[in-house]
Amino acid sequence: MSVSPVIITTWRFGLAASVRGLELLKSGSSALDAIEAAANVTELDPEVNSVGLGGLPNADGIVELDAAIMDGLTHAAGSVAGVTDIATPISIARKVMDLTPHTMLVGQNARAFALRNGFHTEELLTEKSRKAWQEWQKERSASDVSHFTSGPPILTPDNHDTIGLCALDTHGNLAAGCTTSGMAWKVPGRVGDSPIIGSGLYVDNAVGAAAGTGHGDEMMKAVVSYRVVQNMERGMTPEEACIETLRYMMAKRNPELHGNYGAALIAVRKDGLVGAAATKSGFAGPDRLWQWAVGKDDCTLHEGVYVTPTEIIPSLLT
Ligand code: ASP
């Protein structure tokens, strides 16, 4: 029996990826292939400044990319972190999964592995992203060796985001993916939540799939995507599962330090029901409201479902 396919992606910029993914799913592609091809659309779009080509760089002006992919059918996963000069890290992650006995490769060796497997290098900094980095450099104090202690904030509304993707194919199989340049101006070598299986993404064919975007340094400590899938296994809807996970995560954070950070989760249950939630509406700034793109019969953008810090941590109300 054929199942109605579904794809769900994070952010407004996920819409083009969802369109491509749904097209493939409708023509019978596996969820895994659809996720990879859909993610490639965003990775290769130079206008998206937080993923692949045109992504904002680390503090040294180098674009370092993180990505992962996971197959619900086989429970196999592949992941790469800190990859430079290659625009499509989710496809390298797929090769790690398909061609090696390992799950994760990092840095220069992930890059070398990709080159041995037919990938090519290119300049990932665009004129726009180079200028943004130069502006940040100008404002930064020369004595700020840690990149954090002085100067402009490392995390601003418009300098990070991930495309997280979850899909259900016509055979009833699920897959999930994530790809990002991470936080702009990050300390070189910093790896976020996106390539961490269980944090940036997780899928269990018997239950559902989940993926995230937001402040990865905090999200990874709550292993959020794994928790969303576990919540669905315990009977919650995808939306309830995302909300409960964000509440849990926020309750564990020190509100003085982390009360205002942004995090968002998307999920698909094995029967095709979708859901999402975010810690706040404008964590990516007033122009970048939390939205996610759902591809079912056609592709539509959705907004809303906010779990605000004030709702979770009463001390913030004062
Ligand atoms: N989760 C990403 C990271 O921390 C950034 C984002 O999605 O906003 O690397």
Side-chain angles (χ1 to χ4, degrees):
M1 197 184 66
S2 179
V3 172
S4 290
V6 179
I7 182 162
I8 176 168
T9 57
T10 54
W11 298 113
R12 170 176 279 274
F13 61 64
L15 192 59
S18 280
V19 168
R20 177 72 184 130
L22 185 62
E23 186 181 272
L24 288 168
L25 290 168
K26 280 182 171 169
S27 68
S29 282
S30 69
L32 196 64
D33 288 344
I35 291 281
E36 182 185 348
N40 289 160
V41 170
T42 316
E43 291 177 327
L44 294 171
D45 182 348
E47 292 306 314
V48 179
N49 73 357
S50 56
V51 178
L53 178 66
L56 291 170
N58 67 19
D60 290 342
I62 312 282
V63 182
E64 287 183 312
L65 303 175
D66 298 337
I69 192 162
M70 186 166 187
D71 184 14
L73 181 63
T74 60
H75 216 232
S79 162
V80 291
V83 171
T84 55
D85 307 317
I86 298 170
T88 52
I90 199 157
S91 294
I92 312 176
R94 175 79 189 266
K95 288 264 189 268
V96 171
M97 181 181 119
D98 288 347
L99 302 180
T100 80
H102 309 304
T103 303
M104 188 171 196
L105 297 182
V106 301
Q108 287 307 308
N109 284 314
R111 183 180 180 277
F113 167 81
L115 296 183
R116 282 199 302 276
N117 284 286
F119 290 76
H120 67 275
T121 59
E122 64 185 300
E123 177 56 77
L124 300 181
L125 266 187
T126 55
E127 223 14 65
K128 205 163 138 193
S129 54
R130 189 190 309 278
K131 274 206 184 106
W133 174 68
Q134 284 165 343
E135 285 305 309
W136 178 77
Q137 280 277 85
K138 263 191 241 157
E139 287 174 50
R140 204 182 125 201
S141 152
S143 61
D144 180 15
V145 287
S146 76
H147 312 299
F148 284 104
T149 50
S150 63
I154 194 158
L155 194 62
T156 60
D158 59 353
N159 76 4
H160 60 97
D161 282 342
T162 298
I163 180 157
L165 314 94
C166 302
L168 173 70
D169 66 27
T170 53
H171 312 286
N173 294 318
L174 292 154
C178 252
T179 178
T180 188
S181 49
M183 269 180 212
W185 336 134
K186 59 195 174 186
V187 173
R190 178 264 187 189
V191 173
D193 58 319
S194 307
I196 309 292
I197 306 303
S199 290
L201 74 172
Y202 190 72
V203 55
D204 178 340
N205 230 27
V207 182
T213 177
H215 196 141
D217 296 289
E218 298 308 317
M219 294 169 80
M220 71 166 79
K221 289 181 277 195
V223 200
V224 289
S225 291
Y226 182 70
R227 190 174 178 103
V228 171
V229 174
Q230 292 296 295
N231 280 343
M232 289 194 285
E233 187 167 32
R234 284 170 29 224
M236 291 185 204
T237 65
E239 184 179 301
E240 288 166 350
C242 293
I243 290 172
E244 190 285 332
T245 299
L246 292 175
R247 286 195 171 128
Y248 167 80
M249 179 181 64
M250 296 298 280
K252 295 287 172 197
R253 309 270 73 82
N254 176 347
E256 310 239 315
L257 291 175
H258 306 298
N260 205 27
Y261 73 87
L265 296 165
I266 56 171
V268 176
R269 206 167 61 185
K270 67 172 183 174
D271 63 358
L273 185 69
V274 300
T279 51
K280 54 184 179 172
S281 65
F283 81 79
D287 298 334
R288 286 165 74 143
L289 293 180
W290 163 237
Q291 293 182 319
W292 67 100
V294 178
K296 265 187 166 172
D297 299 324
D298 54 13
C299 288
T300 47
L301 271 175
H302 297 248
E303 286 183 17
V305 190
Y306 308 124
V307 183
T308 66
T310 46
E311 182 195 343
I312 303 156
I313 305 164
S315 65
L316 286 180
L317 289 167
T318 56

